[in-house]
């Protein structure tokens, strides 16, 4: 899909033209330095140099082309086979491509810086969150240890109470057993006394019957 742009897309850069003098080496260096720091520095560059944004952009493209030409010339001098002999002809399209690539690299660098600036707080927040999670896990472990200790103490207390209850019940049963033995002894003693009393009463009754029988016999004779 092709995007067609009507008119000059850089027309907004021509507002406020100030100077059209010859460019100085210091201005060229300023343009190159500011272009490295930002992907769209033309307005700031215009206010600093006193020239229009479009002029700054055009000068930057010229400087890029000059640098490219210098690199090509250096390559021609150092190459064992000159570029002209290889049949390669440099065109304006190549220059434009190099300008676009340079702008793209600057935009990519700017994007990297923005991404890094965005990711760095997230990394710090992630580290802080990991620290909080670690502290929470340590707190949970401490609470679990305290809970285990409390459960152990409760279990020991229950065991002590159970042992104390067993001892108390044993004492009560022993006392009840002793009381029953005493009552049984008393009952047996009373039973023996009653048996002796009954035996005495029987003897008395027998003697009485014998005396009465003798008296009757005497009266009959």
């Amino acid at each position: 899909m092709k995007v067609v742009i009507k008119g000059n897309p850089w027309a907004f850069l021509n507002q406020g033209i100030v100077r059209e003098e010859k460019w100085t080496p210091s201005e060229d260096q300023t343009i190159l330095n500011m272009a490295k720091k930002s992907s769209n520095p033309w307005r700031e560059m215009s206010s600093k140099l006193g020239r229009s944004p479009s002029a700054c952009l055009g000068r930057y493209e010229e400087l890029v082309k000059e640098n490219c030409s210098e690199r090509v010339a250096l390559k021609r001098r150092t190459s064992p086979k000159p570029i002209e002999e290889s049949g390669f002809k440099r065109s304006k399209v190549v220059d434009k491509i190099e300008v676009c690539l340079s702008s793209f690299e600057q935009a990519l660098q700017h994007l990297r810086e923005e991404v890094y600036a965005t990711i760095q707080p997230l990394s710090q927040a992630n580290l802080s969150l990991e620290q909080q999670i670690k502290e929470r896990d340590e707190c949970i472990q401490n609470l679990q240890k305290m809970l285990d200790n409390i459960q152990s103490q409760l279990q020991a207390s229950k065991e002590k109470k159970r042992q104390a209850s067993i001892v108390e019940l044993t004492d009560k049963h022993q006392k009840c057993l002793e009381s029953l033995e005493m009552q049984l002894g008393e009952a047996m003693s009373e039973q023996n006394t009653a048996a002796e009393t009954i035996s005495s009463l029987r003897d008395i009754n027998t003697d009485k019957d014998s005396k009465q029988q003798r008296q009757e016999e005497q009266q009959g004779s």
Side-chain angles (χ1 to χ4, degrees), residues 13 32 128 159 215:
L13 296 176
L32 293 174
S128 177
E159 184 65 22
Q215 288 177 0

Side-chain angles (χ1 to χ4, degrees), residues 189-204:
S189 177
E190 290 177 356
Q191 184 179 4
N192 292 331
T193 302
E196 291 176 356
T197 303
I198 291 171
S199 179
S200 298
L201 290 174
R202 284 178 180 175
D203 292 340
I204 293 170

Side-chain angles (χ1 to χ4, degrees), residues 70-84:
E70 291 177 359
R71 288 198 296 270
V72 171
L74 179 62
K75 187 174 181 180
R76 287 176 179 176
R77 290 195 299 270
T78 57
S79 176
K81 185 178 181 180
I83 297 177
E84 290 81 0

Side-chain angles (χ1 to χ4, degrees), residues 80-98:
K81 185 178 181 180
I83 297 177
E84 290 81 0
E85 295 179 5
S86 64
F88 175 78
K89 293 183 179 180
R90 187 177 185 85
S91 63
K92 294 182 179 180
V93 176
V94 176
D95 294 338
K96 291 182 179 180
I97 290 174
E98 289 185 351

Side-chain angles (χ1 to χ4, degrees), residues 6-128:
K6 295 182 179 181
N8 184 8
W10 303 101
F12 70 94
L13 296 176
N14 294 324
Q15 299 175 0
I17 297 176
V18 181
R19 294 172 54 195
E20 294 185 357
E21 300 174 0
K22 186 177 180 179
W23 293 91
T24 62
S26 62
E27 289 178 330
D28 292 342
Q29 189 63 37
T30 301
I31 289 173
L32 293 174
N33 292 336
M34 294 183 70
K36 289 179 181 179
K37 295 179 180 179
S38 176
S39 60
N40 189 15
W42 317 118
R43 292 185 182 276
E44 183 181 358
M45 196 181 296
S46 173
S47 62
K48 185 173 183 179
L49 299 178
R51 296 178 182 269
S52 66
S54 60
C56 294
L57 176 60
R59 183 57 180 168
Y60 173 72
E61 292 178 350
E62 291 176 0
L63 292 173
V64 172
K65 289 179 182 179
E66 290 176 2
N67 291 334
C68 292
S69 300
E70 291 177 359
R71 288 198 296 270
V72 171
L74 179 62
K75 187 174 181 180
R76 287 176 179 176
R77 290 195 299 270
T78 57
S79 176
K81 185 178 181 180
I83 297 177
E84 290 81 0
E85 295 179 5
S86 64
F88 175 78
K89 293 183 179 180
R90 187 177 185 85
S91 63
K92 294 182 179 180
V93 176
V94 176
D95 294 338
K96 291 182 179 180
I97 290 174
E98 289 185 351
V99 172
C100 292
L101 288 175
S102 178
S103 300
F104 177 74
E105 289 177 356
Q106 293 176 4
L108 185 60
Q109 180 64 26
H110 183 66
L111 181 61
R112 286 197 192 102
E113 293 175 356
E114 290 182 351
V115 171
Y116 178 76
T118 304
I119 291 176
Q120 189 174 9
L122 294 177
S123 300
Q124 294 177 354
N126 189 21
L127 292 175
S128 177

Side-chain angles (χ1 to χ4, degrees), residues 178-192:
E178 291 176 355
S179 177
L180 289 174
E181 288 178 351
M182 290 177 63
Q183 292 177 5
L184 181 61
E186 291 176 355
M188 291 179 67
S189 177
E190 290 177 356
Q191 184 179 4
N192 292 331

Side-chain angles (χ1 to χ4, degrees), residues 164-183:
S165 298
I166 291 173
V167 172
E168 185 178 358
L169 290 174
T170 303
D171 292 340
K172 287 182 179 180
H173 291 162
Q174 185 66 29
K175 290 179 181 180
C176 290
L177 183 60
E178 291 176 355
S179 177
L180 289 174
E181 288 178 351
M182 290 177 63
Q183 292 177 5

